[in-house]
Amino acid sequence: MLKIFLVEDESIMREGLRDSMPWQECGYEFVGEASDGEMALPLIRKTRPDVLLTDIKMPFMDGLALSRMVTKEFPHMKIIILSGHDDFDYARQAIQIGVEQYILKPITRNNMKKVLLEVKEKIDSEQEKNSYFQKFQREMHEYELMSRRNFFEKVFSGRLSVQDIYAEMEKLSIDLDGPCYNLMMVSSQRKRGTANGQNLDSPQFVRCQDELMHCFSRYREYLIFNWHINTYGILIKGEADQIEMYTQRALQNVQRIYGEVEQEYDWYVAVGSPVERLSQLTECYNKVNHILALRYLAPADHVLTENDTDSFPRNEGSNIDKLDVAKVDPDIIKGFLERGLQNEVDEFLNNYFLSIQDALRSKLFRNYLMLSMRFVTIAQAEAYGCPQDDFLKKADAEELPDMGSSIEALKEYSRKLIVRAIAEREKVTDSRSHTIISKGMEYIEERYTDEKISLNDVATVVDVSPNYFSAIFSQEMGMTFIEYVTKKRMDKAKRMLKQTDMHTADIALEVGYKDPHYFSFVFKKTQGCTPREYRNDSVSKNN
């Protein structure tokens, strides 16, 4: 229902229009009236109507002056002017202002009804186009994030030469021009022991993630991308004498945004050191990844830098008497088993052993640590449903190393136990994720031709947050939710173009696109040709 506001200085005329017009029948809600422009303006600001119906000649502020102010403040509001003067100058000024309709008095009920319906049809059409435009923007944003993640994964792993990096940049319209680069990784997760778990984010946390994306998407100095389910990457680029300023600004924004949810969520940001070549981004990433692994050993530190790796607390002395017992709290191992990734195991163990390296000179302490590591990982594996004997067998750790074994032997034994315990956790997580994806896929299969289907709808059905579902869907399927739904729709459209004589507009409607022009745009973008060209090519091949 559209909202309409009436401004008319003649009370009989104003009340007659107000009471005689079938507003609801025409699709309108009458939200207010005023006798002149001066009285009307504050009420218009309060009610924010879609349509303003105003007389032209009024005291204090006339209809043209009011229309100028409204058009400037509310550019999407439609204005209908009522005039008792068949004056070309008035009409000319109304056109310049952008008035939608100019109606001469006296006004008949049928004429007014006709005008209202025409204006409503135009507004509905514009809103529909705007809705499709916003939908297109959201889809393009998803494509962009997925493409960026894949691109940076190849860059950081060193799989692309500099020439290949530039070629991929051009293809994906990614701007990496800048003589200097830095990298920042932002990781967040619910605090251990809080309700809901990682797959049901609070609305406040979702808003924080949205703000993070919005904040770093506005400036050309930053490129933000999803890295893992709980981790974002921010590439910083700029002149060598400005890169530190850009890095600090980014850090301040991250601290401001995540500071709002730190009662419920643990969050960490790992900051790298600037490099001057694209070919050095692999080195920069490896350092940042190493720094980020420190979050398990220094959970109270939200901001982690290379300085933390250089000055990470070590125990002085050659015996265990001066050991800080907090550094060997079993909760450190347990926390990593609950949250750590397989590719972080080596970094975690290196940092962990480094933090207690002096105490490790003691055989007695090494024996204690070996048993502690064994008991903690067994308990965690059993919590994931894996009995002790099965766990130790799978970990190839049934036999304890010799008492007093070397530090390297202890580290390798610990690595086997941790890798296996995380694998057991991932089995449980993968099973849950598979159940979520399967349920989501069933819903998608039933509804993919519904133009209104959305990621939020599917996430609601499977009872997880949209961010979580989007992340596990992309991880499991190798494409985003939008890419998958679009592929399903395009596959069906191609079959119908080949096998039927249906018009393109009817096929568009059948596969989930109300607007045939938007359907044709998506078809050409994904298939490389228009629906007509695809049909003609199929016919020529069959002849």
Side-chain angles (χ1 to χ4, degrees), residues 334-366:
K334 187 177 179 183
F336 183 75
L337 295 177
E338 290 176 353
R339 301 179 172 195
L341 304 174
Q342 292 285 12
N343 62 10
E344 294 179 318
V345 173
D346 288 336
E347 289 288 0
F348 169 74
L349 283 174
N350 288 339
N351 288 328
Y352 183 69
F353 275 59
L354 182 63
S355 71
I356 55 174
Q357 66 176 7
D358 290 300
L360 285 169
R361 297 174 188 174
S362 163
K363 290 184 180 180
L364 178 64
F365 178 72
R366 294 202 297 273

Side-chain angles (χ1 to χ4, degrees), residues 173-184:
S173 299
I174 292 176
D175 177 16
L176 280 187
D177 285 339
C180 204
Y181 308 93
N182 202 354
L183 183 64
M184 187 179 285

Side-chain angles (χ1 to χ4, degrees), residues 133-238:
F133 178 69
Q134 290 176 349
K135 181 180 180 184
F136 169 73
Q137 284 187 315
R138 287 195 302 270
E139 290 182 5
M140 290 304 101
H141 184 60
E142 272 206 53
Y143 283 130
E144 183 183 344
L145 287 180
M146 187 69 174
S147 299
R148 281 186 184 181
R149 191 215 179 285
N150 293 338
F151 168 70
F152 283 118
E153 191 176 58
K154 288 187 280 189
V155 170
F156 296 154
S157 65
R159 300 204 307 267
L160 295 179
S161 65
V162 174
Q163 292 89 338
D164 291 336
I165 290 175
Y166 278 106
E168 287 281 309
M169 282 164 50
E170 184 176 358
K171 186 167 74 174
L172 298 172
S173 299
I174 292 176
D175 177 16
L176 280 187
D177 285 339
C180 204
Y181 308 93
N182 202 354
L183 183 64
M184 187 179 285
M185 288 290 181
V186 183
S187 180
S188 57
Q189 199 165 20
R190 273 193 181 273
K191 288 183 181 291
R192 290 170 61 196
T194 56
N196 293 331
Q198 68 174 355
N199 59 337
L200 288 173
D201 293 327
S202 67
Q204 187 183 17
F205 182 70
V206 172
R207 284 196 299 273
C208 283
Q209 289 185 308
D210 290 342
E211 187 179 351
L212 187 76
M213 293 298 301
H214 177 69
C215 177
F216 288 101
S217 298
R218 288 182 295 169
Y219 304 105
R220 67 175 304 275
E221 295 84 16
Y222 306 109
L223 274 172
I224 186 167
F225 52 94
N226 288 102
W227 191 240
H228 294 301
I229 289 177
N230 300 310
T231 305
Y232 287 96
I234 302 168
L235 186 75
I236 306 163
K237 56 195 177 76

Side-chain angles (χ1 to χ4, degrees), residues 218-272:
R218 288 182 295 169
Y219 304 105
R220 67 175 304 275
E221 295 84 16
Y222 306 109
L223 274 172
I224 186 167
F225 52 94
N226 288 102
W227 191 240
H228 294 301
I229 289 177
N230 300 310
T231 305
Y232 287 96
I234 302 168
L235 186 75
I236 306 163
K237 56 195 177 76
E239 299 293 332
D241 60 348
Q242 295 178 313
I243 200 75
E244 181 60 28
M245 178 187 71
Y246 293 147
T247 301
Q248 288 304 313
R249 183 192 297 167
L251 186 56
Q252 288 166 9
N253 278 310
V254 171
Q255 289 173 305
R256 172 182 59 80
I257 291 168
Y258 280 97
E260 297 177 12
V261 292
E262 62 183 17
Q263 295 301 315
E264 285 186 72
Y265 287 83
D266 289 324
W267 63 272
Y268 304 94
V269 52
V271 185

Side-chain angles (χ1 to χ4, degrees), residues 368-381:
Y368 159 78
L369 188 60
M370 177 174 58
L371 292 173
S372 177
M373 194 74 71
R374 183 181 175 99
F375 294 149
V376 170
T377 52
I378 287 173
Q380 205 66 19

Side-chain angles (χ1 to χ4, degrees), residues 256-486:
R256 172 182 59 80
I257 291 168
Y258 280 97
E260 297 177 12
V261 292
E262 62 183 17
Q263 295 301 315
E264 285 186 72
Y265 287 83
D266 289 324
W267 63 272
Y268 304 94
V269 52
V271 185
S273 298
V275 295
E276 296 182 349
R277 295 173 178 267
L278 284 173
S279 56
Q280 294 176 308
L281 284 177
T282 301
E283 174 189 339
C284 185
Y285 166 73
N286 288 336
K287 283 184 178 178
V288 172
N289 199 39
H290 172 69
I291 293 167
L292 188 60
L294 291 175
R295 68 190 186 277
Y296 300 107
L297 303 179
D301 297 336
H302 290 300
V303 180
L304 303 164
T305 67
E306 194 167 14
N307 291 335
D308 293 301
T309 63
D310 295 337
S311 59
F312 196 77
R314 305 177 188 181
N315 297 293
E316 302 297 332
S318 58
N319 57 61
I320 63 174
D321 293 335
K322 298 179 181 179
L323 174 67
D324 181 354
V325 293
K327 293 183 175 60
V328 288
D329 186 339
D331 257 7
I332 293 176
I333 304 299
K334 187 177 179 183
F336 183 75
L337 295 177
E338 290 176 353
R339 301 179 172 195
L341 304 174
Q342 292 285 12
N343 62 10
E344 294 179 318
V345 173
D346 288 336
E347 289 288 0
F348 169 74
L349 283 174
N350 288 339
N351 288 328
Y352 183 69
F353 275 59
L354 182 63
S355 71
I356 55 174
Q357 66 176 7
D358 290 300
L360 285 169
R361 297 174 188 174
S362 163
K363 290 184 180 180
L364 178 64
F365 178 72
R366 294 202 297 273
N367 291 337
Y368 159 78
L369 188 60
M370 177 174 58
L371 292 173
S372 177
M373 194 74 71
R374 183 181 175 99
F375 294 149
V376 170
T377 52
I378 287 173
Q380 205 66 19
E382 288 180 335
Y384 298 131
C386 183
Q388 175 177 327
D389 292 343
D390 289 349
F391 168 70
L392 292 174
K393 186 174 182 180
K394 290 175 182 176
D396 190 24
E398 293 170 290
E399 298 295 327
L400 281 167
D402 294 336
M403 290 296 174
S405 293
S406 68
I407 294 174
E408 283 306 312
L410 173 58
K411 187 185 290 187
E412 177 57 25
Y413 182 71
S414 300
R415 193 188 71 81
K416 287 181 179 180
L417 291 170
I418 291 174
V419 165
R420 190 63 243 168
I422 291 177
E424 293 302 323
R425 185 199 74 201
E426 289 176 344
K427 275 171 60 178
V428 175
T429 304
D430 289 347
S431 175
R432 289 174 186 160
S433 298
H434 182 72
T435 301
I436 291 169
I437 294 296
S438 296
K439 191 175 178 182
M441 294 289 278
E442 287 176 13
Y443 183 84
I444 294 168
E445 189 65 35
E446 293 172 3
R447 308 287 182 95
Y448 74 89
T449 56
D450 181 350
E451 65 157 334
K452 294 181 179 177
I453 189 172
S454 69
L455 177 69
N456 285 358
D457 294 336
V458 185
T460 300
V461 168
V462 298
D463 197 28
V464 297
S465 74
N467 281 345
Y468 183 76
F469 182 78
S470 176
I472 64 172
F473 188 93
S474 300
Q475 189 174 298
E476 181 82 13
M477 304 302 296
M479 63 180 78
T480 66
F481 167 78
I482 289 295
E483 285 177 308
Y484 182 78
V485 170
T486 302

